[in-house]
Amino acid sequence: NSVKYISYAALLVLLFAIPLITQGPYMLRILCLVGINIIFACSLRAILNVGELNLAHAAFMGIGAYASSSLVMRLGLSFWLALPIAAIITAIMSLPLGFLTLRFRGAYFLLFAFLFAELIRVLLSNFWVDLFGGIPGLVNIPRPSINIPGLLQVDFSSNIHFYYLILVLVLLSVLVMYRIDKSRFGMVFNAITQSDVLAESVGICRMKFKVLGCIIGCFFAGIAGSIYAHFITIITPPDFAIHAVLLPIAYVVIVGMGSVFGPVIGTSLLMI
């Protein structure tokens, strides 16, 4: 155990030291995108862990991105408020999909998830154009900042500062999902994945826990969408179409779904 903890500590030191080693904007941009995709891949794993492949997951990332951008640009909220609110909105939006489609299995669930993803894309492209920008999307999305007069002032327009922000969010997200994995909920999710019929035979409500897994996954997809929008500063509806979930599926399965660290390693290896 001591060797494991020393390895984790050394890795953390290395991650925090990367901007001291290289400050190349291209390298830092790639590392920021890796971090965002780690959060997204881990959120996708949360739904795969209840035995379903959600082809609409990129659409939920889009909901988080548009919600956060709209809250900041249209309502004037701070990014630090918009980020959790966008994640909560995304989790709430996952409830209709969960209750309506998780009753189906296999190809039927995939079909309904695909239709939901296309519905979100069409709505963002053609409705409430003044709010969501229509097909051109939203541009000039502001990056966050911290301004405490006399104490602290950080402008995240720098990729170095944004790298640290994403790194902290990645660490928090992975830690929370790791704790969920090791909790009773994680054991129930694993039981449902192995055999949902057997799980129900010992008193586990399959539907309730599948919806819960969907909510958890979509909450973190909303976080990934929010941070993506404010990092890239421009989003369009096609960014979150069905194709956007295909690579993250590979990120999740390439190393394995047995641990939350699988998507972390898979995303890092494949993206870099």
Side-chain angles (χ1 to χ4, degrees), residues 123-246:
L123 289 176
L124 291 174
S125 299
N126 300 287
F127 294 86
W128 307 294
V129 174
D130 292 339
L131 180 61
F132 298 126
I135 293 176
L138 295 175
V139 298
N140 298 321
I141 301 168
R143 284 195 171 189
S145 63
I146 300 175
N147 189 6
I148 304 174
L151 290 177
L152 182 65
Q153 186 169 357
V154 180
D155 182 6
F156 289 93
S157 60
S158 164
N159 279 355
I160 296 175
H161 294 152
F162 218 106
Y163 167 81
Y164 284 118
L165 171 61
I166 292 176
L167 178 58
V168 170
L169 287 173
V170 168
L171 293 175
L172 288 174
S173 300
V174 170
L175 177 61
V176 170
M177 293 193 200
Y178 177 79
R179 293 304 304 162
I180 291 173
D181 268 6
K182 298 302 179 182
S183 69
R184 176 178 175 274
F185 292 118
M187 291 187 286
V188 172
F189 292 152
N190 187 52
I192 292 173
T193 304
Q194 297 298 321
S195 174
D196 54 359
V197 175
L198 184 58
E200 281 194 311
S201 72
V202 295
I204 294 173
C205 180
R206 175 179 63 88
M207 184 65 184
K208 180 178 74 174
F209 282 99
K210 282 199 170 190
V211 171
L212 179 60
C214 186
I215 291 172
I216 293 172
C218 290
F219 177 86
F220 285 100
I223 290 178
S226 173
I227 198 72
Y228 174 82
H230 291 276
F231 176 68
I232 298 296
T233 71
I234 177 171
I235 52 174
T236 62
D239 293 340
F240 309 104
I242 194 73
H243 66 84
V245 79
L246 300 181

Side-chain angles (χ1 to χ4, degrees), residues 40 43-44 47 54-67 86 89-91 93-94 97 112-124 217-226 235-246 248:
F40 183 62
S43 71
L44 178 61
I47 298 179
N54 185 7
L55 292 180
H57 206 57
F60 287 106
M61 182 178 177
I63 291 171
Y66 272 90
I89 289 173
T90 308
M93 289 289 291
S94 72
L97 179 71
F112 276 102
F114 173 77
L115 291 175
F116 183 84
E118 283 299 292
L119 175 63
I120 294 297
R121 184 186 64 80
V122 170
L123 289 176
L124 291 174
C218 290
F219 177 86
F220 285 100
I223 290 178
S226 173
I235 52 174
T236 62
D239 293 340
F240 309 104
I242 194 73
H243 66 84
V245 79
L246 300 181

Side-chain angles (χ1 to χ4, degrees), residues 26-140:
Y26 176 74
M27 178 62 71
L28 289 174
R29 181 180 177 85
I30 293 299
L31 291 175
C32 287
L33 291 173
V34 168
I36 294 169
N37 276 276
I38 284 174
I39 299 175
F40 183 62
C42 287
S43 71
L44 178 61
R45 174 185 172 271
I47 298 179
L48 288 170
N49 263 0
V50 293
E52 300 294 349
L53 173 59
N54 185 7
L55 292 180
H57 206 57
F60 287 106
M61 182 178 177
I63 291 171
Y66 272 90
S68 181
S69 303
S70 300
L71 288 170
V72 171
M73 298 176 69
R74 310 303 190 203
L75 298 182
L77 289 186
S78 164
F79 164 80
W80 308 106
L81 282 175
L83 172 65
I85 292 174
I88 293 170
I89 289 173
T90 308
I92 293 172
M93 289 289 291
S94 72
L95 286 172
L97 179 71
F99 280 114
L100 290 174
T101 63
L102 285 171
R103 301 176 187 278
F104 301 97
R105 301 183 184 183
Y108 296 102
F109 177 80
L110 292 178
L111 178 61
F112 276 102
F114 173 77
L115 291 175
F116 183 84
E118 283 299 292
L119 175 63
I120 294 297
R121 184 186 64 80
V122 170
L123 289 176
L124 291 174
S125 299
N126 300 287
F127 294 86
W128 307 294
V129 174
D130 292 339
L131 180 61
F132 298 126
I135 293 176
L138 295 175
V139 298
N140 298 321

